[in-house]
Amino acid sequence: MTLRGRCLCGACGLRVEGEASAASACHCTMCRKSSGHVRASARAPEESVTIEGPVTWFAASESAERGFCPGCGASMVWRGHGEGMVSFALGCLDGDTGLRLEKHIFTADKGDDHEIADGLPQS
């Protein structure tokens, strides 16, 4: 499987070769602030993800960084230091992906503007 995606302005892109997994909706405070709401993403091994263009990396915490487009500000990727995996935003992918959300994470930080009612596991 090959997934491709771009930021809003098209300056940055990504390509994922092989299997992606763990599609989740993250409700943590950092994802809410960087995306404007819930951040839906999936994961793939770092060596299978190619990031194209002038992505800027932001040290979001001592253990992880977020990659975004310096032009339009689109939040595209997240990687934890030493994990060997990259999480990529489902919203930046082009076309059908075959991926489905599997779970909601960091729901204790969820905003009060919505309810989670899809029946997926929550942690």
Side-chain angles (χ1 to χ4, degrees):
M1 167 190 337
T2 299
L3 300 172
R4 295 181 184 278
R6 301 214 66 74
C7 64
L8 181 61
C9 71
C12 298
L14 62 88
R15 185 176 69 246
V16 181
E17 300 282 346
E19 292 298 314
S21 63
S24 62
C26 186
H27 300 266
C28 81
T29 302
M30 285 190 277
C31 281
R32 289 176 46 218
K33 298 227 181 248
S34 71
S35 72
H37 202 253
V38 177
R39 183 178 195 273
S41 63
R43 294 169 55 95
E46 196 165 13
E47 62 273 6
S48 68
V49 179
T50 302
I51 299 168
E52 304 157 343
V55 169
T56 297
W57 291 95
F58 170 70
S61 69
E62 290 182 14
S63 60
E65 57 189 355
R66 297 172 182 271
F68 64 93
C69 173
C72 65
S75 175
M76 297 182 64
V77 288
W78 179 98
R79 63 184 176 199
H81 302 304
E83 285 188 5
M85 300 290 282
V86 173
S87 293
F88 52 92
L90 296 179
C92 73
L93 296 177
D94 299 325
D96 292 336
T97 65
L99 296 169
R100 296 288 178 264
L101 286 181
E102 300 173 13
K103 61 187 173 181
H104 293 268
I105 58 176
F106 295 99
T107 56
D109 296 338
K110 180 185 85 57
D112 66 355
D113 59 349
H114 66 285
E115 296 300 320
I116 302 171
D118 58 14
L120 294 175
Q122 299 180 27
S123 59

